Amino acid sequence: MKIEQVLETYDEAYAEAYNEKFLTDIHSQTKTASELQILTELLREKGSTVRWLDIACGTGYYLSCFPEVQRTGLDISQAMLNLAKLKNPNIPLIQGNFRDKLLINKGEWDVISSMWWAYSFAESISEIEILIENISDWLTDDGVCFMPICEPSKNLYSDPTKVPYVAFEDAPAYGGKILVTAVMWSWIQPNGKRHDNMLVPQIEYMIELFKKHFETVESIEYANGFYWGILAAKNARQFESIRTQLMKESESIADGSDRISTDIPPVDSANFLQRLIRKLFRS
């Protein structure tokens, strides 16, 4: 998806409707709450001095959920950043392309996130790898990254047919391995807004790209197994606390309560995340 189309699509009107349509609507509530849980764990374990960068931060919704955290947002759309500023009036917001390494200082951030498949806006696999390399460069030596990943057969059209990553171990006629490293998809919304030629590498291939720059790379399922994400760390570690919280979430959905666990440890004593989740998802 070319930059010109991104800027045309993500204008003022789109920004105003974005949260309600894609984050707090009935279809997205469980996904959003799960992602807030993951971010809570990542931020909490880094302590009170944690520094967090949200790449392609959009309206600043996720940033606004953690007002006590030192945080910064990066987005290419000034219209989205204008709204993010209203929600986060006292933090730096950077307008620019996430492929530009010089936008962000090297080794500055403890946690970096990039939500809602923002990597799909890259125009090639090599540009996605540039983004992943940039994230590694911008993180501290023990920094961590969370990136939700699109699984087309599950997230886009709910078809049980999954496009394989390894198409052939030994290709017919000429031999050699054939890999399906990515698919492209386009979405034309009812209002005419377009998302053309969005690039989605296979989850397995995304993991391989991350492993070029990170010591630890794990895939996780959340929101009752409907969504996937990648957790990556610059050093060797495990993400057991996050998996435990997500398991509790799945159990609450399975027993019919469909509510977010109340025992998520807060990032600070204000318990702001618990209040936010209750307000958004239990009213």
Side-chain angles (χ1 to χ4, degrees):
M1 189 172 179
K2 296 188 181 299
I3 293 174
E4 294 80 8
Q5 189 182 94
V6 174
L7 297 177
E8 180 180 342
T9 295
Y10 289 85
D11 58 12
E12 288 80 4
Y14 204 85
E16 288 290 341
Y18 188 88
N19 287 0
E20 185 175 348
K21 189 173 183 63
F22 298 113
L23 296 175
T24 62
D25 69 294
I26 191 171
H27 302 294
S28 303
Q29 288 178 1
T30 301
K31 170 184 178 293
T32 300
S34 294
E35 289 169 351
L36 286 172
Q37 284 184 319
I38 294 167
L39 289 169
T40 296
E41 290 296 321
L42 293 177
L43 295 170
R44 182 190 65 169
E45 70 178 19
K46 293 295 183 181
S48 60
T49 61
V50 62
R51 295 162 298 175
W52 167 35
L53 172 67
D54 191 25
I55 296 174
C57 67
T59 62
Y61 174 86
Y62 289 95
L63 294 170
S64 70
C65 295
F66 300 89
E68 305 303 319
V69 171
Q70 182 179 338
R71 63 209 190 281
T72 290
L74 167 67
D75 203 279
I76 199 169
S77 167
Q78 188 60 55
M80 298 290 270
L81 287 177
N82 290 342
L83 190 58
K85 192 66 176 177
L86 295 177
K87 303 293 184 181
N88 304 273
N90 299 315
I91 71 169
L93 295 171
I94 302 168
Q95 193 275 328
N97 191 322
F98 56 47
R99 284 155 280 194
D100 184 356
K101 182 174 291 187
L102 298 179
L103 281 175
I104 306 295
N105 293 332
K106 179 180 176 67
E108 184 174 358
W109 303 97
D110 302 299
V111 176
I112 293 180
S113 58
S114 183
M115 314 302 286
W116 252 125
W117 315 333
Y119 66 93
S120 296
F121 292 105
E123 295 182 36
S124 67
I125 291 290
S126 62
E127 288 192 352
I128 291 178
E129 185 166 4
I130 287 172
L131 168 60
I132 295 171
E133 181 181 349
N134 286 350
I135 290 172
S136 175
D137 190 71
W138 297 336
L139 282 168
T140 58
D141 289 341
D142 63 345
V144 295
C145 171
F146 170 52
M147 182 183 289
I149 299 296
C150 177
E151 171 54 66
S153 63
K154 182 180 290 187
N155 303 138
L156 299 181
Y157 47 84
S158 300
D159 191 300
T161 302
K162 177 177 171 61
V163 179
Y165 170 53
V166 180
F168 289 99
E169 288 285 358
D170 186 13
Y174 298 104
K177 181 181 288 189
I178 296 179
L179 304 176
V180 182
T181 55
V183 298
M184 277 192 170
W185 60 282
S186 297
W187 179 33
I188 304 172
Q189 296 182 240
N191 62 5
K193 292 293 187 182
R194 302 180 66 94
H195 296 70
D196 286 330
N197 302 322
M198 304 286 284
L199 185 61
V200 181
Q202 311 295 67
I203 291 176
E204 299 89 343
Y205 191 51
M206 283 293 287
I207 290 173
E208 288 191 12
L209 292 178
F210 268 91
K211 283 183 175 179
K212 293 181 180 181
H213 306 281
F214 289 83
E215 181 77 13
T216 301
V217 182
E218 296 182 13
S219 64
I220 56 170
E221 293 183 58
Y222 58 92
N224 204 25
F226 194 72
Y227 289 95
W228 290 76
I230 284 181
L231 290 169
K234 294 287 289 292
N235 55 17
R237 59 155 295 168
Q238 293 181 328
F239 294 99
E240 287 304 317
S241 63
I242 291 175
R243 293 187 184 280
T244 299
Q245 290 296 338
L246 294 178
M247 186 176 297
K248 290 180 180 179
E249 172 207 345
S250 296
E251 291 172 353
S252 71
I253 293 174
D255 67 18
S257 62
D258 198 15
R259 293 189 175 190
I260 304 306
S261 172
T262 59
D263 60 357
I264 307 171
V267 175
D268 67 12
S269 59
N271 294 323
F272 54 86
L273 181 57
Q274 285 88 334
R275 296 198 301 272
L276 173 77
I277 291 175
R278 293 190 191 102
K279 179 180 179 181
L280 290 178
F281 307 126
R282 297 189 181 183
S283 57

